[in-house]
Amino acid sequence: MLLRRLALCSRSSLDLQRPICQLFSRQLTQVAHGSSFAHRSELRQAKRIVVKLGSAVVTRGDECGLALGRLASIVEQVAMLQNQGREMMIVTSGAVAFGKQRLRHEILLSQSVRQALHSGHNQLKDMSLPVLEARACAAAGQSGLMALYEAMFTQYSTCTAQVLVTNLDFHDDEKRQNLNSTLQELLRMNIVPIINTNDAVVPPPEPNSDLQGVNVISIKDNDSLAARLAVEMKADLLIALSDVEGLYNSPPGTDDAKLIDIFYPGDQQSITYGTKSRVGIGGMEAKVKAALWALQGGTSVVIANGTNPKVTGHVITDIVEGKKVGTFFSEIKPAGPTVEQQTEMARSSGRTLASLHPEQRSEIICNLAEMLTERKEEILAANKMDMDLAVNAGHLPQAMLKRLSLSPSKLNSLAIGLRQIAVAAQDSVGRVLRRTRVAHNLELEQITVPIGVLLVIFEARPDCLPQVAALAIASGNALLLKGGKEAANTNRVLHQLTQEALSLHRVTEAVQLVSTREEVEDLCRLDKMIDLIIPRGSSQLVRDIQRAAKGIPVMGHSEGICHVYVDADASIDKVIKIVRDSKCDYPAACNAMETLLIHRDILRTPLFDQIIDMLRTERVKIHAGPRFASYLTFSPSEAKSLRTEYGDLECCMEVVDSMQEAVDHIHKYGSSHTDVIITENEDTAEQFLQQLDSACVFWNASSRFADGYRFGLGAEVGISTARIHARGPVGLEGLLTTKWVLRGDGHTAADFSEHGTMKYLHENLPVTQPLAGQRDSN
C-alpha cells in the first residue's frame, strides 16, 4: 500500500509540472499583493505559507546525511497545517548532504572491492576519500531526498510534488509563468510542493544583482529562493528555519547579544552580523536581506530555530498561532516601546525607586491616594466606557461585570487602603532583620530588599492596578501590569495617575502598563527579565500561567477549594451567619466556601434543617458527597468530584464522623487556600488550627476574611498557597526578599583557618539602628 501511494504521488507530481493556465503575466513590479501582517497575532490568518528549511536544519551535525527526527517533526507540522485548509509550500536544502552520504558509501564499497581483488586484504584504514563535488552530490541525493519527503507525508495522507528551479527560471518570463501555473495547480489540488534549487546544474549567481529592490533578486541560495518564491506566489507568510533562535543585534554567543523580537526595515544599521552557519552558503545577513525583500513584496517573515529539540516539534505551529518565536519582520513600527524595552526601563527605574528614602516612597503612594478621590470623575468616565462596551458585547458574566465596575465608594476604599500601605512603607526596604558580630570588627547584617521586576496579570478588575502599584512602590519593586482588555480605558487612566505620582521623585518608568498585543504566554517567557509573576483572576488563568512560566516563579493559587466544617458543638447562630457569608456574599471569589462538611451528629437536627433552609433561600444548589448521599432517601445530585471549585451559588455537602476526619478530608481534597471550623469546643478548635496546613485557617469566622484589606495589609497582590515564601493574602512583606551585608576591616577567610589568628564570635547584636536606606541616604 505504501509503495502504491508513493507511486501515485510521484505520477501526480510529473503530470502537474505541465503548464495548466497562464495566470502570471504581470511584471515583477506588479507582484506585491498588499501589505504584510503588522502584528504576530495576525499570523493566525495566514492562508498560504512557505516554510524554508536551511541546510543546518535538514542535515546532521556531521554534515553527511539527514536529521531524520527533525524532518519528521517538521513534516508532521506542515501536514497538520495543510489539513487545516492552509496552502503549504516547502523550500528545502539537503540534496547535497544526502548525496554526499550516498556517494561516500558507494566509494568506500567500490574501493573495498578493488583492494580485495588486488591484494586479497581489506585495507580500509589506508583508504582516502576524494573531495566530492557539490553538483555531483546534489544529483545523487535529490531523488533520495524527495523519496524521503514523500514517504513521510504519506503517513498523514498528504501528497507532495517536486519542483527544481534555477535563477534562469525566474528571469525568463515564459518559464516563470509556467512555474507559477504549476504551483498554483498543485496548491489547488491540496498537494504540498517541495521546491529546491537544481544544484546539479545551477549557474553561479549574477554579480551585483543581489536583492536590488523588488524588481531583481538573484537566486544565490535557498534564502533568496524562498523570498522570491513567496512573493511570486503571493504567500502570506515565509517561515525561515535555521540553527539560531532568530536575529540578534550582535553575533550570537557574545556577551551583549540580544534576540530581536520584532525587526523593522529601518533597523539594519543596528545589527552586527557574525559568521555563516556550519553548512550552507548563506548566513544571517543573507537571511535578513531576503526577508526584507519578501516583506517589501507583501509577505510576512519569521526567522526561527529549527534545530532545537525542545521546540522543533511545534516551532512552525507556534509561529502560525502568533506566539513569540524567533524574529518577526514587520513594516509597521509601534508608537510605544516593546515589552522587552518596557521591562528594561522598569528595572532601571525600579532600582532608583528602591534607593529612595522610605518617606519618599510613602509620599508617592499618598499622592496617588489623593488623586484617586480628587480625579474620580475622570476615572469613572473611563470606567463607564468600559462598562458600556462590556454590556453591549454581552459576553461578560454578572460576576465579572461587578468586578469591572468602579464607584465613588470603591475609590474611597482604595484611597484608604493606599494610605495604610504608605504607612507600612516607612519600615520596609532596608529593614535589618538580623545583626551578628562574626568576629572583632566583622559585622554581618541580613536586610530586606525588593525582589526585582514583578509581572502582575489581572483580569477585568481595574481596582487591582492602584493596589498592586502601591505595594510595588512601597517595596521598591519594578512592576509590569497586564490587565484585561475589558478594562482597557480604566486601566489607562489609572496608570497615568500612577505615573504622575511616581514623577514626584523622577521614577515614572518604574511601573509599566503592557498595552501591546503580547500574549500572556509570551510574557511568561521573559525569564531573564522578570523575577516573579503574580496572577490575579480565575483559577484557570492562574493554572495557565503556572504552566506557561517554566523559568519564572509564580505566586498564586491554582484553585480556591475552601471548606467550612460544622462541628457537633457548633452554635446555631454562628453556623447560619458564617455559612451564608462564606458561600453567598461573593460566590465567584477564591475565598468563597465550596464544600460544607457536617458532623454526623448534626444530621436530622434543627440545626441541619436550618442550614438547608438557608441555602435554599439563598438559591444555592447543593451537590451531595457520596457519604452524605447514602444517608438520604432522596438526595440532591451527587457531586462529580470533591475537588470542585464552583465559583457560583453551588456547593458540595459531605458528612464526617469527627474533627480529625474533617481535617483528613480537607488535606485530601482541599487546595490549601482557606478552611474554617465552627465550634464552641476550644480544644477541638485548637487541634483543627494546629493540624490543618492551609494558608489560612479560621475558627468561628467566615472564609471571606482571607483578604489583604481585611487583614490590615492595606491591599494584596494575591493569595498564595505555595509552601515557600509568602502564604495567604500577600501584602508588602510578601514582596520583599533579603540580602546579606558583611562589614569588615581587611578580614580574609585564612584568618579563621586552623592556623589563623582569629576566632568566630557569632554574637547577636540589637537591630535598633536606622534602616539601611536611611543610613545610605545620609
Side-chain angles (χ1 to χ4, degrees), residues 391-404:
V391 171
N392 292 335
H395 64 274
L396 281 187
Q398 196 61 37
M400 291 284 280
L401 287 174
K402 185 178 178 181
R403 289 184 180 183
L404 178 61

Side-chain angles (χ1 to χ4, degrees), residues 16-133:
L16 291 170
Q17 286 180 17
R18 291 192 296 268
I20 297 175
C21 59
Q22 303 294 327
L23 294 177
F24 190 73
S25 58
R26 298 186 299 276
Q27 298 298 316
L28 283 173
T29 53
Q30 299 174 307
V31 165
H33 54 278
S35 60
S36 57
F37 296 125
H39 304 283
R40 281 185 184 270
S41 58
E42 297 173 351
L43 295 180
R44 297 186 182 97
Q45 306 170 22
K47 172 71 173 177
R48 182 171 290 180
I49 301 171
V50 175
V51 178
K52 180 261 174 181
L53 306 179
S55 299
V57 176
V58 176
T59 61
R60 296 197 317 234
D62 60 5
E63 303 176 25
C64 184
L66 304 181
L68 297 180
R70 286 202 292 267
L71 273 180
S73 63
I74 288 169
V75 165
E76 181 180 17
Q77 294 171 80
V78 171
M80 184 175 70
L81 293 172
Q82 179 86 357
N83 292 333
Q84 289 176 1
R86 305 179 197 268
E87 297 175 340
M88 305 298 296
M89 292 180 281
I90 294 178
V91 175
T92 183
S93 302
V96 174
F98 195 89
K100 185 184 293 185
Q101 181 188 36
R102 182 176 177 183
L103 291 180
R104 280 183 176 180
H105 177 76
E106 293 297 328
I107 291 171
L108 285 173
L109 182 62
S110 63
Q111 287 182 346
S112 172
V113 171
R114 285 198 301 271
Q115 287 195 1
L117 291 174
H118 286 85
S119 64
H121 300 286
N122 191 351
Q123 300 176 357
L124 288 176
K125 61 181 180 180
D126 297 326
M127 294 182 186
S128 60
L129 290 173
V131 176
L132 298 175
E133 204 273 338

Side-chain angles (χ1 to χ4, degrees), residues 353 361-362 365 421-422 424-425 428-429 469-477 732 736:
L353 174 68
R361 289 192 292 272
S362 294
I365 299 169
I421 296 172
S428 56
V429 180
L471 288 169
I473 294 167
S475 57
N477 285 290
L732 178 57
L736 296 171

Side-chain angles (χ1 to χ4, degrees), residues 417-639:
L418 262 59
R419 291 189 181 96
Q420 292 177 352
I421 296 172
V423 173
Q426 297 284 341
D427 185 26
S428 56
V429 180
R431 179 162 52 92
V432 180
L433 301 179
R434 181 183 306 173
R435 192 176 176 208
T436 305
R437 180 178 287 120
V438 178
H440 181 65
N441 286 339
L442 187 63
E443 292 185 2
L444 178 67
E445 289 179 344
Q446 184 185 23
I447 64 174
T448 57
V449 294
I451 291 174
V453 178
L454 312 178
L455 168 61
V456 177
I457 302 170
F458 56 101
E459 295 179 318
R461 191 170 181 174
D463 57 334
C464 176
L465 193 151
Q467 289 178 341
V468 173
L471 288 169
I473 294 167
S475 57
N477 285 290
L479 178 63
L480 288 180
L481 291 159
K482 173 66 173 174
K485 61 182 179 180
E486 299 84 2
N489 294 297
T490 314
N491 288 338
R492 184 170 58 251
V493 172
L494 291 172
H495 179 247
Q496 289 171 355
L497 298 182
T498 303
Q499 289 196 310
E500 285 185 39
L502 288 164
S503 66
L504 188 65
H505 293 290
R506 300 179 180 179
V507 285
T508 308
E509 296 177 341
V511 177
Q512 299 280 338
L513 180 65
V514 179
S515 56
T516 60
R517 298 191 181 192
E518 301 295 332
E519 298 288 345
V520 169
E521 187 172 341
D522 295 331
L523 293 172
C524 291
R525 293 178 180 176
L526 301 178
D527 56 301
K528 295 181 180 178
M529 309 177 75
I530 295 171
D531 299 299
L532 179 67
I533 300 177
I534 305 173
R536 290 197 61 173
S538 66
S539 58
Q540 185 61 49
L541 170 70
V542 178
R543 284 194 297 269
D544 290 344
I545 291 173
Q546 287 174 329
R547 280 193 295 265
K550 297 179 180 178
I552 310 174
V554 178
M555 181 188 291
H557 59 89
S558 58
E559 292 174 306
I561 305 176
C562 302
H563 295 74
V564 173
Y565 165 57
V566 181
D567 188 56
D569 298 322
S571 163
I572 293 179
D573 293 339
K574 292 177 183 177
V575 169
I576 300 303
K577 287 176 60 179
I578 292 172
V579 172
R580 177 190 284 116
D581 188 74
S582 295
K583 179 70 258 185
C584 307
D585 176 63
Y586 193 177
C590 63
N591 57 14
M593 181 194 79
E594 302 295 0
T595 298
L596 179 62
L597 298 176
I598 303 289
H599 192 284
R600 182 184 59 184
D601 293 347
I602 295 178
L603 290 176
R604 300 183 179 89
T605 66
L607 173 56
F608 177 78
D609 294 337
Q610 289 186 44
I611 294 173
I612 297 298
D613 290 343
M614 181 274 294
L615 293 175
R616 286 176 176 169
T617 301
E618 297 291 341
R619 298 184 178 180
V620 177
K621 183 178 181 180
I622 300 173
H623 301 276
R627 191 163 179 201
F628 178 46
S630 68
Y631 281 96
L632 305 175
T633 305
F634 299 99
S635 67
S637 60
E638 189 166 343

